[in-house]
């Protein structure tokens, strides 16, 4: 057990939640990205997290959404095929937005851990100071 | 052991500080994994072994082992059973306990300083 473990653990979770937030921004930003029908649709990214044995959490990988996407009839779209279709990403905006809140709250929870760690460690460092 | 003095009070204080430090670390780990699927929260009990050691009158022995157990709380839909409210309360409470103990340890050193007459 290291001397300042709590800070490292909180940091690992901050990083993981930051990755989650970045990924959600990326997905939401591309929610309307159209592709020609002969290409794969924009694939939403999903962060996979796992607990570390030594404490903390890490991103274990990124899963990708469905490359099929949704076929949308937009004949006036410059990328539309001869039948008037473009391929739009199949992103569930409700799920993305609720995950955005979860990731934000998770990130904020780590800051309270860091404050706790500061209190505890400065308390430990003050042992014997006024003896 | 944090406090090198060999008397049982210092040993008990040191044991409690070690136990609280572990509890803080485990709470930090639980909060870090509050969104990790299939994560099971852990809890720390150091009071039982400390109380038993104090009852035996031998606190300096090696039996002061804080026990880490997995939480039996019901997991949510993603298999995670971390309760943020519980963990935050645990972290806050043990922070205050830790500060109280460091104060007690400091006061013991103050006694020694007084006894040797402020060299």
């Amino acid at each position: 057990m290291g001397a300042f473990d709590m800070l490292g653990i909180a940091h690992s979770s901050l990083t993981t939640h930051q990755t989650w937030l970045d990924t959600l921004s990326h997905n939401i930003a591309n929610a309307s990205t159209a592709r020609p029908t002969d290409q794969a649709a924009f694939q939403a990214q999903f962060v996979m997290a796992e607990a570390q044995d030594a404490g903390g959490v890490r991103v274990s990988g990124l899963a990708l959404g469905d490359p099929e996407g949704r076929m949308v009839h937009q004949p006036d779209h410059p990328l539309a095929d001869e039948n008037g279709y473009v391929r739009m990403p199949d992103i569930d905006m409700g799920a993305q937005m609720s995950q955005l809140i979860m990731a934000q709250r998770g990130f904020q929870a780590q800051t309270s851990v860091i404050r706790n760690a500061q209190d505890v460690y400065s308390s430990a460092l003050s042992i014997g100071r006024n003896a | 052991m944090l406090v090198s003095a060999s008397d049982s009070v210092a040993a008990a204080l040191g044991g409690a500080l070690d136990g609280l430090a572990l509890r803080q670390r485990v709470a930090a780990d639980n909060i870090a994994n509050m969104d990790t699927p299939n994560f099971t929260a852990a809890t720390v009990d150091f009071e039982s072994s400390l109380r038993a050691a104090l009852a035996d009158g031998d606190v300096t022995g090696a039996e002061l082992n804080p026990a880490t157990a997995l939480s039996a709380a019901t997991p949510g839909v993603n298999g995670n059973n971390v309760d943020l409210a519980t963990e935050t309360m645990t972290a806050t409470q043990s922070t205050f306990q830790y500060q109280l103990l460091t104060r007690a340890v400091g006061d013991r050193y103050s006694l020694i300083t007084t006894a040797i007459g402020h060299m």
Side-chain angles (χ1 to χ4, degrees), chain A residues 1 5-6 9-10 12-13 17 20 49-57 102-103 105-106 109-110 112-113 116 119-120 123-124 126-128 130-131, chain B residues 2 17-18 21-22 24-25 27-29 31-37 39 78 84 88 91-92 94-95 98-100 102-103 105-106 109-110 113:
Chain A
M1 183 166 133
D5 265 4
M6 259 192 287
I9 289 171
S12 76
S13 193
H17 280 92
W20 193 10
E50 67 178 8
Q52 297 188 95
D53 291 340
V57 61
M102 284 166 67
R105 296 290 177 251
Q110 309 314 316
S112 76
V113 173
N116 247 330
D119 288 350
V120 167
S123 175
S126 73
I127 291 179
N130 50 9
Chain B
L2 188 90
L17 278 173
D18 287 347
L22 181 63
Q24 290 269 11
R25 187 195 180 284
D29 193 36
I31 297 175
N33 284 289
M34 61 181 278
D35 292 313
T36 308
F39 177 81
N78 63 352
L84 186 59
T88 311
T92 309
S94 37
T95 299
Y98 198 95
Q99 289 173 337
L100 187 67
T102 54
R103 169 81 184 271
V105 172
Y109 285 134
S110 300
T113 315

Short mmCIF file of all heavy atoms in Angstrom, two decimals, chain A residues 1 5-6 9-10 12-13 17 20 49-57 102-103 105-106 109-110 112-113 116 119-120 123-124 126-128 130-131, chain B residues 2 17-18 21-22 24-25 27-29 31-37 39 78 84 88 91-92 94-95 98-100 102-103 105-106 109-110 113:
data_model
loop_
_atom_site.label_atom_id
_atom_site.label_comp_id
_atom_site.label_asym_id
_atom_site.label_seq_id
_atom_site.Cartn_x
_atom_site.Cartn_y
_atom_site.Cartn_z
N MET A 1 0.85 -1.20 0.00
CA MET A 1 0.00 0.00 0.00
C MET A 1 0.88 1.24 0.00
O MET A 1 1.74 1.40 0.85
CB MET A 1 -0.89 -0.06 1.25
CG MET A 1 -1.86 1.08 1.34
SD MET A 1 -3.13 0.72 2.58
CE MET A 1 -3.15 2.26 3.47
N ASP A 5 -1.99 6.61 -1.74
CA ASP A 5 -2.81 5.80 -2.63
C ASP A 5 -4.10 6.47 -3.08
O ASP A 5 -4.48 6.37 -4.24
CB ASP A 5 -3.19 4.49 -1.92
CG ASP A 5 -2.25 3.38 -2.27
OD1 ASP A 5 -1.27 3.66 -2.99
OD2 ASP A 5 -2.47 2.25 -1.83
N MET A 6 -4.76 7.14 -2.12
CA MET A 6 -6.09 7.67 -2.42
C MET A 6 -6.06 8.62 -3.62
O MET A 6 -6.98 8.65 -4.43
CB MET A 6 -6.63 8.40 -1.20
CG MET A 6 -7.62 7.58 -0.42
SD MET A 6 -8.47 8.60 0.76
CE MET A 6 -7.21 8.86 1.96
N ILE A 9 -5.82 6.64 -6.82
CA ILE A 9 -7.09 5.96 -7.13
C ILE A 9 -8.08 6.97 -7.70
O ILE A 9 -8.74 6.72 -8.72
CB ILE A 9 -7.64 5.29 -5.86
CG1 ILE A 9 -6.79 4.07 -5.49
CG2 ILE A 9 -9.09 4.88 -6.04
CD1 ILE A 9 -7.10 3.47 -4.15
N ALA A 10 -8.19 8.14 -7.04
CA ALA A 10 -9.11 9.17 -7.53
C ALA A 10 -8.69 9.63 -8.93
O ALA A 10 -9.54 9.86 -9.80
CB ALA A 10 -9.15 10.34 -6.57
N SER A 12 -7.15 7.89 -11.25
CA SER A 12 -7.50 6.88 -12.26
C SER A 12 -8.97 7.01 -12.65
O SER A 12 -9.33 6.86 -13.82
CB SER A 12 -7.22 5.48 -11.72
OG SER A 12 -8.20 5.08 -10.79
N SER A 13 -9.80 7.33 -11.66
CA SER A 13 -11.23 7.45 -11.95
C SER A 13 -11.54 8.75 -12.68
O SER A 13 -12.41 8.78 -13.56
CB SER A 13 -12.04 7.36 -10.67
OG SER A 13 -13.40 7.18 -10.94
N HIS A 17 -13.41 8.75 -16.23
CA HIS A 17 -14.63 9.52 -16.47
C HIS A 17 -14.40 10.58 -17.56
O HIS A 17 -15.31 10.87 -18.33
CB HIS A 17 -15.11 10.17 -15.18
CG HIS A 17 -15.87 9.23 -14.29
ND1 HIS A 17 -15.26 8.48 -13.30
CD2 HIS A 17 -17.17 8.88 -14.27
CE1 HIS A 17 -16.17 7.73 -12.71
NE2 HIS A 17 -17.33 7.95 -13.26
N TRP A 20 -14.74 8.90 -20.79
CA TRP A 20 -16.17 8.66 -21.03
C TRP A 20 -16.84 9.95 -21.54
O TRP A 20 -17.58 9.91 -22.53
CB TRP A 20 -16.80 8.19 -19.72
CG TRP A 20 -18.18 7.60 -19.83
CD1 TRP A 20 -18.84 7.26 -20.98
CD2 TRP A 20 -19.06 7.27 -18.75
NE1 TRP A 20 -20.08 6.75 -20.68
CE2 TRP A 20 -20.25 6.74 -19.32
CE3 TRP A 20 -18.97 7.38 -17.36
CZ2 TRP A 20 -21.31 6.33 -18.54
CZ3 TRP A 20 -20.04 6.96 -16.58
CH2 TRP A 20 -21.19 6.44 -17.17
N ALA A 49 -14.99 -0.03 -18.96
CA ALA A 49 -14.14 0.22 -17.79
C ALA A 49 -14.01 -1.06 -16.97
O ALA A 49 -14.92 -1.90 -16.97
CB ALA A 49 -14.74 1.32 -16.93
N GLU A 50 -12.87 -1.21 -16.31
CA GLU A 50 -12.72 -2.34 -15.40
C GLU A 50 -11.93 -1.89 -14.18
O GLU A 50 -11.08 -1.00 -14.26
CB GLU A 50 -12.03 -3.52 -16.09
CG GLU A 50 -10.58 -3.25 -16.45
CD GLU A 50 -9.90 -4.45 -17.08
OE1 GLU A 50 -10.60 -5.43 -17.38
OE2 GLU A 50 -8.68 -4.38 -17.28
N ALA A 51 -12.24 -2.51 -13.04
CA ALA A 51 -11.54 -2.19 -11.79
C ALA A 51 -10.12 -2.74 -11.87
O ALA A 51 -9.88 -3.78 -12.46
CB ALA A 51 -12.28 -2.79 -10.61
N GLN A 52 -9.17 -2.01 -11.28
CA GLN A 52 -7.79 -2.49 -11.24
C GLN A 52 -7.56 -3.20 -9.90
O GLN A 52 -8.07 -2.75 -8.88
CB GLN A 52 -6.82 -1.32 -11.36
CG GLN A 52 -6.92 -0.57 -12.68
CD GLN A 52 -5.82 0.45 -12.82
OE1 GLN A 52 -4.80 0.21 -13.41
NE2 GLN A 52 -6.06 1.63 -12.25
N ASP A 53 -6.76 -4.26 -9.94
CA ASP A 53 -6.49 -5.02 -8.70
C ASP A 53 -5.79 -4.15 -7.67
O ASP A 53 -6.03 -4.26 -6.48
CB ASP A 53 -5.65 -6.25 -9.02
CG ASP A 53 -6.44 -7.28 -9.81
OD1 ASP A 53 -7.69 -7.20 -9.76
OD2 ASP A 53 -5.83 -8.14 -10.47
N ALA A 54 -4.91 -3.27 -8.13
CA ALA A 54 -4.14 -2.44 -7.21
C ALA A 54 -4.95 -1.25 -6.70
O ALA A 54 -4.44 -0.44 -5.95
CB ALA A 54 -2.87 -1.95 -7.90
N GLY A 55 -6.21 -1.16 -7.10
CA GLY A 55 -7.05 -0.03 -6.70
C GLY A 55 -7.27 0.90 -7.87
O GLY A 55 -6.38 1.09 -8.70
N GLY A 56 -8.46 1.48 -7.93
CA GLY A 56 -8.77 2.39 -9.01
C GLY A 56 -9.44 1.68 -10.17
O GLY A 56 -9.84 0.52 -10.07
N VAL A 57 -9.54 2.40 -11.28
CA VAL A 57 -10.27 1.89 -12.44
C VAL A 57 -9.49 2.29 -13.69
O VAL A 57 -8.67 3.21 -13.65
CB VAL A 57 -11.70 2.49 -12.44
CG1 VAL A 57 -11.68 4.00 -12.53
CG2 VAL A 57 -12.57 1.92 -13.54
N MET A 102 -24.37 11.01 -15.96
CA MET A 102 -23.71 10.04 -15.07
C MET A 102 -22.20 10.27 -15.04
O MET A 102 -21.57 10.23 -13.98
CB MET A 102 -24.01 8.62 -15.55
CG MET A 102 -25.40 8.14 -15.23
SD MET A 102 -25.82 6.65 -16.14
CE MET A 102 -24.70 5.47 -15.40
N ALA A 103 -21.61 10.48 -16.21
CA ALA A 103 -20.16 10.68 -16.28
C ALA A 103 -19.75 11.96 -15.55
O ALA A 103 -18.74 12.00 -14.85
CB ALA A 103 -19.72 10.74 -17.73
N ARG A 105 -21.40 13.46 -13.04
CA ARG A 105 -21.54 13.26 -11.59
C ARG A 105 -20.42 12.36 -11.06
O ARG A 105 -19.92 12.57 -9.96
CB ARG A 105 -22.89 12.64 -11.27
CG ARG A 105 -24.07 13.53 -11.62
CD ARG A 105 -24.16 14.74 -10.70
NE ARG A 105 -25.27 15.59 -11.11
CZ ARG A 105 -25.12 16.78 -11.67
NH1 ARG A 105 -23.90 17.25 -11.91
NH2 ARG A 105 -26.16 17.50 -12.01
N GLY A 106 -20.04 11.36 -11.84
CA GLY A 106 -18.95 10.48 -11.43
C GLY A 106 -17.64 11.24 -11.30
O GLY A 106 -16.89 11.06 -10.35
N ALA A 109 -17.72 13.31 -8.18
CA ALA A 109 -17.56 12.53 -6.94
C ALA A 109 -16.08 12.33 -6.61
O ALA A 109 -15.69 12.29 -5.43
CB ALA A 109 -18.26 11.18 -7.08
N GLN A 110 -15.25 12.22 -7.65
CA GLN A 110 -13.81 12.02 -7.40
C GLN A 110 -13.18 13.23 -6.75
O GLN A 110 -12.22 13.11 -5.98
CB GLN A 110 -13.07 11.69 -8.70
CG GLN A 110 -13.69 10.57 -9.51
CD GLN A 110 -14.07 9.36 -8.68
OE1 GLN A 110 -13.30 8.94 -7.82
NE2 GLN A 110 -15.25 8.84 -8.92
N SER A 112 -14.46 15.03 -4.48
CA SER A 112 -14.67 14.96 -3.03
C SER A 112 -13.70 13.98 -2.39
O SER A 112 -13.27 14.17 -1.25
CB SER A 112 -16.12 14.60 -2.72
OG SER A 112 -16.36 13.25 -2.93
N VAL A 113 -13.34 12.92 -3.13
CA VAL A 113 -12.33 11.98 -2.62
C VAL A 113 -10.98 12.69 -2.49
O VAL A 113 -10.26 12.50 -1.51
CB VAL A 113 -12.20 10.76 -3.56
CG1 VAL A 113 -11.05 9.86 -3.15
CG2 VAL A 113 -13.49 9.97 -3.59
N ASN A 116 -10.96 14.84 0.55
CA ASN A 116 -10.77 13.97 1.71
C ASN A 116 -9.32 13.59 1.89
O ASN A 116 -8.77 13.64 2.99
CB ASN A 116 -11.59 12.70 1.52
CG ASN A 116 -12.72 12.58 2.50
OD1 ASN A 116 -12.60 13.10 3.62
ND2 ASN A 116 -13.78 11.95 2.11
N ASP A 119 -7.23 16.33 3.30
CA ASP A 119 -7.44 16.50 4.75
C ASP A 119 -6.68 15.44 5.53
O ASP A 119 -6.01 15.74 6.52
CB ASP A 119 -8.93 16.42 5.08
CG ASP A 119 -9.69 17.65 4.60
OD1 ASP A 119 -9.03 18.62 4.19
OD2 ASP A 119 -10.94 17.62 4.64
N VAL A 120 -6.81 14.18 5.08
CA VAL A 120 -6.19 13.08 5.82
C VAL A 120 -4.67 13.18 5.77
O VAL A 120 -4.00 13.06 6.80
CB VAL A 120 -6.67 11.73 5.25
CG1 VAL A 120 -5.81 10.60 5.77
CG2 VAL A 120 -8.12 11.50 5.60
N SER A 123 -3.27 15.97 7.74
CA SER A 123 -3.38 15.63 9.15
C SER A 123 -2.26 14.69 9.57
O SER A 123 -1.64 14.87 10.63
CB SER A 123 -4.75 14.98 9.39
OG SER A 123 -4.88 14.53 10.69
N ALA A 124 -1.99 13.68 8.74
CA ALA A 124 -0.91 12.73 9.06
C ALA A 124 0.44 13.44 9.09
O ALA A 124 1.30 13.14 9.93
CB ALA A 124 -0.89 11.60 8.04
N SER A 126 1.04 16.35 9.97
CA SER A 126 1.19 17.29 11.09
C SER A 126 1.48 16.59 12.40
O SER A 126 1.63 17.26 13.43
CB SER A 126 -0.07 18.14 11.22
OG SER A 126 -1.11 17.36 11.75
N ILE A 127 1.56 15.24 12.40
CA ILE A 127 1.88 14.52 13.65
C ILE A 127 3.25 14.95 14.14
O ILE A 127 4.22 14.94 13.38
CB ILE A 127 1.87 12.99 13.42
CG1 ILE A 127 0.46 12.50 13.15
CG2 ILE A 127 2.44 12.26 14.63
CD1 ILE A 127 0.36 11.02 12.89
N GLY A 128 3.32 15.35 15.39
CA GLY A 128 4.59 15.71 15.99
C GLY A 128 5.02 17.13 15.73
O GLY A 128 6.05 17.59 16.24
N ASN A 130 3.51 19.98 16.62
CA ASN A 130 3.37 20.86 17.79
C ASN A 130 3.65 20.11 19.09
O ASN A 130 3.15 20.49 20.14
CB ASN A 130 1.99 21.51 17.82
CG ASN A 130 0.90 20.48 17.65
OD1 ASN A 130 1.19 19.28 17.67
ND2 ASN A 130 -0.32 20.92 17.50
N ALA A 131 4.45 19.03 19.00
CA ALA A 131 4.76 18.29 20.22
C ALA A 131 5.79 19.06 21.06
O ALA A 131 6.60 19.78 20.51
CB ALA A 131 5.31 16.92 19.87
N LEU B 2 2.96 2.80 12.96
CA LEU B 2 3.23 4.22 12.82
C LEU B 2 3.99 4.78 14.01
O LEU B 2 4.94 5.54 13.87
CB LEU B 2 1.90 4.97 12.66
CG LEU B 2 2.04 6.44 12.32
CD1 LEU B 2 2.06 6.59 10.82
CD2 LEU B 2 0.91 7.24 12.91
N LEU B 17 -4.97 4.06 13.37
CA LEU B 17 -4.59 4.91 12.22
C LEU B 17 -4.43 4.06 10.96
O LEU B 17 -4.91 4.43 9.88
CB LEU B 17 -3.30 5.67 12.51
CG LEU B 17 -3.42 6.95 13.34
CD1 LEU B 17 -2.04 7.48 13.69
CD2 LEU B 17 -4.21 8.02 12.62
N ASP B 18 -3.75 2.91 11.12
CA ASP B 18 -3.57 2.02 9.97
C ASP B 18 -4.92 1.54 9.43
O ASP B 18 -5.15 1.50 8.23
CB ASP B 18 -2.71 0.81 10.36
CG ASP B 18 -1.25 1.19 10.56
OD1 ASP B 18 -0.89 2.30 10.14
OD2 ASP B 18 -0.50 0.37 11.12
N ALA B 21 -6.71 4.34 7.65
CA ALA B 21 -6.09 4.63 6.36
C ALA B 21 -6.56 3.62 5.32
O ALA B 21 -6.86 3.98 4.18
CB ALA B 21 -4.57 4.60 6.49
N LEU B 22 -6.65 2.35 5.74
CA LEU B 22 -7.13 1.32 4.80
C LEU B 22 -8.59 1.56 4.44
O LEU B 22 -8.99 1.42 3.28
CB LEU B 22 -6.95 -0.07 5.41
CG LEU B 22 -7.39 -1.23 4.52
CD1 LEU B 22 -6.56 -1.29 3.24
CD2 LEU B 22 -7.31 -2.56 5.25
N GLN B 24 -10.16 4.39 4.35
CA GLN B 24 -10.19 5.53 3.42
C GLN B 24 -9.83 5.09 2.01
O GLN B 24 -10.44 5.50 1.03
CB GLN B 24 -9.17 6.59 3.87
CG GLN B 24 -9.54 7.31 5.13
CD GLN B 24 -10.32 8.56 4.83
OE1 GLN B 24 -10.75 8.77 3.71
NE2 GLN B 24 -10.53 9.38 5.83
N ARG B 25 -8.80 4.24 1.94
CA ARG B 25 -8.33 3.77 0.63
C ARG B 25 -9.41 2.95 -0.05
O ARG B 25 -9.66 3.11 -1.25
CB ARG B 25 -7.07 2.93 0.84
CG ARG B 25 -6.39 2.51 -0.42
CD ARG B 25 -5.39 1.40 -0.14
NE ARG B 25 -4.73 0.99 -1.36
CZ ARG B 25 -5.29 0.23 -2.28
NH1 ARG B 25 -6.52 -0.19 -2.12
NH2 ARG B 25 -4.63 -0.12 -3.36
N ALA B 27 -12.65 3.11 0.52
CA ALA B 27 -13.76 4.00 0.13
C ALA B 27 -13.41 4.74 -1.16
O ALA B 27 -14.25 4.89 -2.05
CB ALA B 27 -14.06 4.98 1.25
N ALA B 28 -12.15 5.18 -1.27
CA ALA B 28 -11.71 5.85 -2.51
C ALA B 28 -11.82 4.90 -3.70
O ALA B 28 -12.27 5.30 -4.78
CB ALA B 28 -10.27 6.33 -2.35
N ASP B 29 -11.45 3.64 -3.48
CA ASP B 29 -11.55 2.64 -4.56
C ASP B 29 -13.01 2.41 -4.94
O ASP B 29 -13.34 2.32 -6.13
CB ASP B 29 -10.90 1.34 -4.09
CG ASP B 29 -10.68 0.37 -5.23
OD1 ASP B 29 -10.36 0.84 -6.34
OD2 ASP B 29 -10.82 -0.84 -5.01
N ILE B 31 -15.52 4.54 -4.63
CA ILE B 31 -16.03 5.72 -5.35
C ILE B 31 -15.42 5.78 -6.75
O ILE B 31 -16.09 6.15 -7.71
CB ILE B 31 -15.76 7.00 -4.54
CG1 ILE B 31 -16.51 6.95 -3.21
CG2 ILE B 31 -16.19 8.24 -5.32
CD1 ILE B 31 -16.24 8.11 -2.28
N ALA B 32 -14.15 5.41 -6.87
CA ALA B 32 -13.50 5.41 -8.18
C ALA B 32 -14.23 4.47 -9.14
O ALA B 32 -14.29 4.71 -10.34
CB ALA B 32 -12.04 5.01 -8.06
N ASN B 33 -14.80 3.40 -8.60
CA ASN B 33 -15.46 2.40 -9.43
C ASN B 33 -16.98 2.52 -9.37
O ASN B 33 -17.68 1.53 -9.60
CB ASN B 33 -15.03 1.00 -9.00
CG ASN B 33 -13.64 0.67 -9.49
OD1 ASN B 33 -13.43 0.48 -10.67
ND2 ASN B 33 -12.67 0.66 -8.59
N MET B 34 -17.48 3.70 -9.05
CA MET B 34 -18.94 3.85 -8.90
C MET B 34 -19.70 3.61 -10.21
O MET B 34 -20.89 3.34 -10.18
CB MET B 34 -19.28 5.23 -8.35
CG MET B 34 -18.83 6.38 -9.23
SD MET B 34 -19.23 7.98 -8.53
CE MET B 34 -20.94 8.14 -9.01
N ASP B 35 -19.01 3.69 -11.34
CA ASP B 35 -19.68 3.46 -12.63
C ASP B 35 -19.15 2.23 -13.35
O ASP B 35 -19.48 2.01 -14.51
CB ASP B 35 -19.50 4.69 -13.53
CG ASP B 35 -20.25 5.90 -13.01
OD1 ASP B 35 -21.42 5.74 -12.65
OD2 ASP B 35 -19.67 7.00 -12.94
N THR B 36 -18.27 1.45 -12.69
CA THR B 36 -17.69 0.28 -13.34
C THR B 36 -18.68 -0.89 -13.30
O THR B 36 -19.11 -1.28 -12.21
CB THR B 36 -16.39 -0.13 -12.62
OG1 THR B 36 -15.54 1.00 -12.52
CG2 THR B 36 -15.69 -1.23 -13.38
N PRO B 37 -19.05 -1.43 -14.45
CA PRO B 37 -20.00 -2.55 -14.43
C PRO B 37 -19.46 -3.75 -13.65
O PRO B 37 -18.25 -4.03 -13.69
CB PRO B 37 -20.15 -2.91 -15.92
CG PRO B 37 -19.75 -1.67 -16.65
CD PRO B 37 -18.71 -1.03 -15.81
N PHE B 39 -18.86 -4.25 -10.61
CA PHE B 39 -17.92 -4.02 -9.50
C PHE B 39 -18.65 -4.21 -8.18
O PHE B 39 -19.78 -3.74 -8.00
CB PHE B 39 -17.36 -2.60 -9.58
CG PHE B 39 -16.44 -2.25 -8.44
CD1 PHE B 39 -15.11 -2.65 -8.45
CD2 PHE B 39 -16.92 -1.54 -7.35
CE1 PHE B 39 -14.27 -2.32 -7.40
CE2 PHE B 39 -16.08 -1.21 -6.29
CZ PHE B 39 -14.76 -1.61 -6.32
N ASN B 78 -26.40 -2.72 -13.73
CA ASN B 78 -25.10 -3.01 -14.35
C ASN B 78 -24.20 -3.86 -13.43
O ASN B 78 -23.00 -3.93 -13.64
CB ASN B 78 -24.39 -1.71 -14.75
CG ASN B 78 -24.06 -0.84 -13.57
OD1 ASN B 78 -24.49 -1.11 -12.45
ND2 ASN B 78 -23.30 0.21 -13.80
N LEU B 84 -23.10 5.62 -3.38
CA LEU B 84 -22.27 6.82 -3.26
C LEU B 84 -22.49 7.52 -1.92
O LEU B 84 -21.53 8.00 -1.31
CB LEU B 84 -22.55 7.77 -4.42
CG LEU B 84 -21.64 9.00 -4.49
CD1 LEU B 84 -20.18 8.58 -4.61
CD2 LEU B 84 -22.04 9.90 -5.63
N THR B 88 -19.46 8.16 0.69
CA THR B 88 -19.09 9.53 1.05
C THR B 88 -19.16 9.71 2.57
O THR B 88 -18.27 10.34 3.17
CB THR B 88 -20.03 10.53 0.36
OG1 THR B 88 -20.11 10.21 -1.02
CG2 THR B 88 -19.53 11.94 0.50
N ALA B 91 -16.16 7.97 4.09
CA ALA B 91 -14.93 8.73 3.87
C ALA B 91 -14.88 9.94 4.80
O ALA B 91 -13.84 10.22 5.43
CB ALA B 91 -14.85 9.17 2.41
N THR B 92 -16.01 10.66 4.92
CA THR B 92 -16.02 11.85 5.77
C THR B 92 -15.82 11.48 7.24
O THR B 92 -15.03 12.10 7.94
CB THR B 92 -17.36 12.59 5.60
OG1 THR B 92 -17.61 12.79 4.22
CG2 THR B 92 -17.33 13.92 6.30
N SER B 94 -14.40 8.78 8.53
CA SER B 94 -13.07 8.31 8.87
C SER B 94 -12.04 9.43 8.75
O SER B 94 -11.00 9.37 9.40
CB SER B 94 -12.67 7.07 8.06
OG SER B 94 -13.14 7.12 6.77
N THR B 95 -12.32 10.45 7.95
CA THR B 95 -11.42 11.61 7.93
C THR B 95 -11.40 12.28 9.31
O THR B 95 -10.32 12.58 9.84
CB THR B 95 -11.88 12.64 6.88
OG1 THR B 95 -11.86 12.03 5.61
CG2 THR B 95 -10.97 13.85 6.87
N TYR B 98 -9.66 10.09 11.76
CA TYR B 98 -8.20 10.13 11.52
C TYR B 98 -7.61 11.40 12.13
O TYR B 98 -6.56 11.37 12.78
CB TYR B 98 -7.94 10.09 10.02
CG TYR B 98 -6.54 9.70 9.64
CD1 TYR B 98 -6.20 8.39 9.35
CD2 TYR B 98 -5.53 10.67 9.57
CE1 TYR B 98 -4.91 8.04 9.01
CE2 TYR B 98 -4.23 10.32 9.23
CZ TYR B 98 -3.94 9.02 8.94
OH TYR B 98 -2.67 8.68 8.62
N GLN B 99 -8.29 12.53 11.93
CA GLN B 99 -7.79 13.79 12.49
C GLN B 99 -7.78 13.76 14.01
O GLN B 99 -6.85 14.26 14.64
CB GLN B 99 -8.65 14.95 11.98
CG GLN B 99 -8.42 15.23 10.51
CD GLN B 99 -9.36 16.26 9.93
OE1 GLN B 99 -10.44 16.48 10.46
NE2 GLN B 99 -8.97 16.87 8.84
N LEU B 100 -8.80 13.13 14.60
CA LEU B 100 -8.86 12.98 16.05
C LEU B 100 -7.67 12.16 16.55
O LEU B 100 -7.02 12.49 17.54
CB LEU B 100 -10.17 12.30 16.43
CG LEU B 100 -10.52 12.19 17.92
CD1 LEU B 100 -10.76 13.57 18.48
CD2 LEU B 100 -11.72 11.30 18.11
N THR B 102 -4.72 11.61 14.97
CA THR B 102 -3.43 12.29 14.81
C THR B 102 -3.26 13.32 15.93
O THR B 102 -2.15 13.53 16.44
CB THR B 102 -3.32 13.00 13.45
OG1 THR B 102 -4.44 13.86 13.29
CG2 THR B 102 -3.28 12.01 12.33
N ARG B 103 -4.36 13.94 16.34
CA ARG B 103 -4.32 14.86 17.48
C ARG B 103 -3.89 14.12 18.75
O ARG B 103 -3.04 14.60 19.51
CB ARG B 103 -5.70 15.49 17.64
CG ARG B 103 -5.92 16.26 18.90
CD ARG B 103 -5.33 17.65 18.78
NE ARG B 103 -5.50 18.31 20.08
CZ ARG B 103 -6.56 19.02 20.43
NH1 ARG B 103 -7.54 19.18 19.57
NH2 ARG B 103 -6.62 19.59 21.61
N VAL B 105 -2.17 11.32 18.96
CA VAL B 105 -0.76 10.93 18.84
C VAL B 105 0.14 12.13 19.14
O VAL B 105 1.13 12.03 19.88
CB VAL B 105 -0.46 10.36 17.43
CG1 VAL B 105 1.02 10.14 17.24
CG2 VAL B 105 -1.21 9.07 17.21
N GLY B 106 -0.24 13.30 18.57
CA GLY B 106 0.54 14.51 18.83
C GLY B 106 0.57 14.86 20.30
O GLY B 106 1.60 15.26 20.84
N TYR B 109 3.06 12.85 22.21
CA TYR B 109 4.42 13.38 22.05
C TYR B 109 4.60 14.64 22.91
O TYR B 109 5.68 14.87 23.46
CB TYR B 109 4.71 13.69 20.59
CG TYR B 109 4.98 12.45 19.77
CD1 TYR B 109 4.37 12.27 18.53
CD2 TYR B 109 5.83 11.45 20.23
CE1 TYR B 109 4.60 11.13 17.78
CE2 TYR B 109 6.06 10.32 19.49
CZ TYR B 109 5.45 10.16 18.26
OH TYR B 109 5.68 9.03 17.53
N SER B 110 3.53 15.44 23.02
CA SER B 110 3.60 16.63 23.87
C SER B 110 3.89 16.23 25.33
O SER B 110 4.67 16.90 26.02
CB SER B 110 2.29 17.40 23.82
OG SER B 110 2.01 17.80 22.52
N THR B 113 7.50 15.47 25.59
CA THR B 113 8.28 16.72 25.57
C THR B 113 8.22 17.42 26.92
O THR B 113 9.24 17.92 27.41
CB THR B 113 7.70 17.66 24.48
OG1 THR B 113 7.47 16.90 23.30
CG2 THR B 113 8.65 18.79 24.20
#
